[in-house]
Amino acid sequence: MAFLELQGLTKLYNHFVAVSNFDLKVDKGSFVSLLGPSGCGKTTTLQMIAGFTEPSSGSIFLNGKDLSNIPARKRGLGIVFQSYALFMHMTVAENVAFGLEMRKIDRSERDRRVADTLELVHLAHLADRYPVAMSGGQRQRVALARALVIEPELLLLDEPLSNLDAKLREEMQLELRRIQQEAGVTTVMVTHDQSEAMALSDSVVVMENGKIRQEATPFDVYETPTSPFVSNFLGKSNNMRAELISQTPDGAIVECNGIRLESDPVSLPQGPVVVAIRPERIEIASSATDIPGRVTERVFLGSQWLLKVETGLGELLVTRRNTGHREAAPGDQVFLNWDRRHLRILPVEQKVSRT
Amino acid sequence: MTGQRSWSLSAPALALFGVLLVVPLIMTFVLSFNSFDFYEGISNDISLANYKEVLGDSYFYEIFARTFAIALATTVICAIIGVPQAYFLNRMTPFWRSVMVLVTLGPLLISVVVRTLGWAILLGNKGVINTALTDFGLIERPVKMMYTSGGIVLALVHVMIPFMVLAVWASLQRQDPATEAAAESLGAGPVVIFRRVVFPQVIPGILSGSLIVFSLSASAFATPAILGGRRIKVVSTTVYDEFMNTLNWPLGAAIAMLLLLAVLVIMVSWNRLVERRYSEVFA
Ligand SMILES: Nc1ncnc2c1ncn2[C@@H]1O[C@H](COP(=O)(O)OP(=O)(O)O)[C@@H](O)[C@H]1O
Ligand SMILES: [Mg+2]
């Protein structure tokens, strides 16, 4: 049995299915993200693990124990709330010491552990501050320290970085990863931010409408999404409807808007499919090749260019690394090509219903 | 907006404020230095005689002491009842919360006089409570509740509780509900959560509610007049008697000014204390 195991976890609100038959295994010490659009049931799942929401059915095992009949305050989990939920009337050190006080840990031991944990989150110099006098990033660290000081078996993070501005968020991503690894604590994070999930996690669980769509390492969900939804949700993707017309052991052929495209072999029945290609895998060829197109828009993003190209396949998004040269301008004729292994052939999405 | 515009816009409010508050206050202030003679009425000479009379007479000290004791007791009881009430109010579902807010504020829609007369009906020697207790054989002779300080406190608490509940509720609403969940996840039970997390965060609300309740109770008139009658006098009913019965307006004015001064001093020092204690935490 894995360190944390969710089995058939389900939550109904009246007849509305917030979380549906959720199975998950998390290894000790690893960092797993639940990723999905707002309202897909991430928080509800986390709250069930935390013990604040009663599951309608299914069970949760942590380190071999069934958590069903253990109340939230006895589960001993470290939780970081989206709003941080700091105790505003206590100093940083008092906030961090709270969980140890509840565990009746004696004074000297408590002081030592508070100091160690504040050291870990680089806040030792602010131990006597009140939270009002701190920045968002510092409050975030206090919340993290308060959750970690009790040496929890499991750390739960609900959108931990969403209240920070973009620059700070990137810094805190690295910090969070460092702290999690130094503390060696098994972590489940909830986020709607795909870049955050990919940057931090050992494993990403993509959710939609209360269900798991795909679970894999960040690299694998990005490189080999199994559905158009996942392909769209992680990073940018050009998704087009097509028809799988032939497949042989050394390749498949799809037809999209009358244009034939080759890809690596797939194991899908012939018929309607979705083809997906990432904007950064599309090359602009110097000579006339398969796919001619006309640039309709060009956006400069600093490290890269973003082009919209109207082609026979439809409008394609193309990103180009900025190498110090001007890119094709709107109105210019260009030729696109790509390595066939970058073309993903995916099954057509069935609407995922909440049942 | 130009300075002139904003002045002219606030002119009606300023006029109202000036005519109805500042002018009578100044006149009362001046009046308190005049003298009174039973045969000749009020004369316009200026002296501190009235203040000397009040401050030199233990009778008045007793009245002031009683007034502040009643106000203090009312404030403490309002806090004891109002804090949990506001806490539960805050935790109700929106529907029940709006119902209960209405129930809490409802009494404010009824005149204080009417409500106090209601208390008189309940508390009298032949009132509802005493009659019921006698009929059930629980007591032999009626318990004296009318014309006691206790009776006044009881009725004042009823009048003042909405102010306390509202002040505490306002500070509860400012509180992040996740802090309670955070405390729970760290191992705290319901009692510890209330004592260590919820209560300390509503202290500013309790303090500002106390300020309102205390000053309104110290200067309340209708309730002590009806339930205290002639026997249990407080400062405001004493002032009333000086004006309406003895006709010694200057003495009444002096007592009124002393009450005003005392309440002001208490309020300002209370506020100072609160600010000094909490400025660091709740900036
Ligand atoms: N207490 C509740 N009562 C009814 N519906 C709820 C409740 N809590 C959450 N939901 C619904 O369940 C779905 C999942 O919510 P949530 O887990 O908060 O999503 P998210 O993935 O954004 O964290 C949402 O559609 C939400 O409206
Ligand atoms: Mg959420």
Side-chain angles (χ1 to χ4, degrees), chain A residues 37-44 82 158-159 190-192:
Chain A
S38 179
C40 72
K42 309 177 296 284
T43 298
T44 308
Q82 188 168 0
D158 191 351
E159 310 262 1
V190 151
T191 180
H192 65 270

Side-chain angles (χ1 to χ4, degrees), chain B residues 175-229:
Chain B
Q175 191 168 323
D176 179 357
T179 52
E180 287 173 57
E184 195 181 343
S185 76
L186 291 168
V191 176
V192 176
I193 293 176
F194 187 81
R195 195 169 51 82
R196 295 284 312 273
V197 176
V198 178
F199 187 72
Q201 297 192 75
V202 297
I203 286 178
I206 298 172
L207 295 179
S208 64
S210 300
L211 207 59
I212 302 170
V213 171
F214 185 86
S215 54
L216 287 179
S217 302
S219 53
F221 173 74
T223 304
I226 296 171
L227 294 180

Side-chain angles (χ1 to χ4, degrees), chain A residues 108-124:
Chain A
S108 56
E109 160 103 6
R110 196 162 79 202
D111 290 347
R112 188 182 57 74
R113 278 167 69 176
V114 168
D116 286 352
T117 314
L118 287 178
E119 197 69 53
L120 175 71
V121 299
H122 297 328
L123 276 185

Side-chain angles (χ1 to χ4, degrees), chain A residues 307-326:
Chain A
L307 305 176
K308 267 190 188 169
V309 182
E310 190 63 51
T311 68
L313 295 169
E315 189 163 74
L316 294 183
L317 217 52
V318 179
T319 50
R320 304 268 294 159
R321 209 155 58 81
N322 175 15
T323 51
H325 302 287
R326 274 192 194 287

Side-chain angles (χ1 to χ4, degrees), chain B residues 11-28:
Chain B
L14 283 176
L16 199 72
F17 189 69
V19 173
L20 295 183
L21 186 70
V22 176
V23 170
L25 206 58
I26 291 173
M27 287 172 69
T28 310

